[in-house]
């Protein structure tokens, strides 16, 4: 009888300990190298500990009794309370390409781990060697746009004045660069009929707007 009583009492205490949960876990993030990455983990009332793991290793702990325990300047946090819920925000500073990987929020409960993926991208250089170019009537030319040191390899598009150029007019080749980066070379072939501005656009997900490089074609019909 005593054994049953102790077991029942222990079971009820254990049950009380497991009444909190992660109500909203971190979400995937794509950022540019050198910037901050932020992840939120929201837990219900009664939580005791939140552990943030980065690529499988613990990097920051939050205790309900004393707040955040930060051991490195690269990983810091901000904490928010709303009603009965508590949110821990993990901030990763000065992200690098090698930081790409999994983020985990754990409250040390069975089946209470939430995962997100951090993707760090690199904004490389973009160049058209000529800023101006003079062309004659019925002259077919090639304009080369070079993207160096990107991750991942950028999507390349061309514009003439304010209109997109048909994809059949240019060819883009990608090649591996150094240190895990990628290069792209895009060649546009056209026969100008008038003076126009050609713009090469390079885009990756983390860029708010594509990087661009332009060349002015001066049409000489003399």
């Amino acid at each position: 009888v005593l054994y049953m009583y102790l077991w029942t009492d222990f079971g009820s205490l254990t049950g009380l300990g497991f009444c909190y949960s992660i109500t909203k876990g971190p979400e995937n993030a794509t950022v540019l190298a050198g910037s901050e990455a932020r992840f939120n983990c929201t837990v219900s009332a009664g939580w005791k500990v939140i552990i943030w793991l980065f690529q499988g290793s613990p990097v920051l702990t939050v205790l309900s009794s004393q707040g955040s325990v930060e051991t490195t300047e690269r990983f810091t946090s901000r904490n928010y309370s709303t009603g009965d819920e508590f949110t821990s925000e993990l901030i990763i500073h000065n992200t690098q390409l090698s930081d790409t990987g999994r983020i985990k929020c754990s409250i040390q409960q069975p089946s209470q781990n939430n995962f997100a993926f951090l993707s760090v991208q690199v904004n490389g250089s973009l160049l058209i060697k000529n800023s101006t170019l003079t062309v004659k009537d019925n002259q077919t030319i090639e304009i080369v746009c070079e993207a160096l040191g990107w991750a991942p390899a950028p999507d390349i598009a061309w514009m003439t004045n304010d209109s997109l150029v048909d994809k059949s007019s240019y060819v883009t080749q990608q090649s591996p660069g150094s240190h895990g980066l990628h290069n792209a070379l895009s060649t546009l072939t056209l026969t100008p009929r008038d003076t126009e501005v050609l713009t090469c656009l390079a885009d990756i997900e983390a860029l708010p707007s594509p990087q661009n490089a332009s060349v002015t074609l001066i049409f000489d019909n003399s």
Side-chain angles (χ1 to χ4, degrees):
V1 175
L2 179 61
Y3 170 80
M4 292 180 62
Y5 172 78
L6 289 173
W7 184 89
T8 304
D9 189 51
F10 177 76
S12 64
L13 288 174
T14 304
L16 288 173
F18 282 79
C19 64
Y20 59 91
S21 62
I22 296 175
T23 58
K24 187 176 182 181
E27 298 181 352
N28 295 343
T30 301
V31 302
L32 286 174
S35 64
E36 293 180 350
R38 295 172 177 261
F39 298 90
N40 287 336
C41 185
T42 301
V43 296
S44 61
W47 69 280
K48 303 300 181 188
V49 59
I50 297 172
I51 300 174
W52 284 101
L53 297 99
F54 169 68
Q55 296 181 347
S57 299
V59 292
L60 189 140
T61 301
V62 187
L63 301 172
S64 60
S65 58
Q66 66 182 79
S68 301
V69 180
E70 299 174 358
T71 56
T72 170
E73 294 181 352
R74 279 208 68 209
F75 301 93
T76 63
S77 70
R78 297 181 67 182
N79 302 322
Y80 312 91
S81 294
T82 305
D84 290 337
E85 293 186 329
F86 176 87
T87 299
S88 171
E89 181 181 42
L90 173 70
I91 306 168
I92 305 175
H93 300 268
N94 190 27
T95 56
Q96 301 300 314
L97 184 60
S98 59
D99 290 334
T100 294
R102 194 166 71 165
I103 305 295
K104 176 181 174 181
C105 171
S106 172
I107 57 173
Q108 290 189 318
Q109 301 284 30
S111 303
Q112 282 293 308
N113 299 318
N114 269 254
F115 302 94
F117 194 80
L118 170 62
S119 177
V120 180
Q121 301 187 343
V122 177
N123 179 21
S125 64
L126 192 68
L127 174 69
I128 297 177
K129 291 181 180 179
N130 301 91
S131 58
T132 59
L133 195 62
T134 301
V135 294
K136 296 188 177 295
D137 193 18
N138 291 325
Q139 181 182 0
T140 299
I141 61 170
E142 290 185 346
I143 304 294
V144 177
C145 179
E146 192 172 30
L148 297 175
W150 292 70
D155 294 322
I156 304 289
W158 288 85
M159 295 187 72
T160 173
N161 296 331
D162 293 322
S163 302
L164 282 171
V165 174
D166 188 272
K167 291 183 177 180
S168 62
S169 300
Y170 57 91
V171 176
T172 302
Q173 296 175 312
Q174 298 178 354
S175 61
S178 58
H179 307 294
L181 302 176
H182 302 270
N183 304 325
L185 197 69
S186 187
T187 304
L188 172 66
T189 304
L190 75 164
T191 306
R193 302 297 180 196
D194 202 352
T195 295
E196 58 187 312
V197 177
L198 291 171
T199 303
C200 172
L201 304 169
D203 195 24
I204 53 178
E205 182 184 350
L207 276 179
S209 58
Q211 190 178 156
N212 63 82
S214 297
V215 56
T216 301
L217 297 185
I218 301 173
F219 186 72
D220 179 9
N221 59 357
S222 59

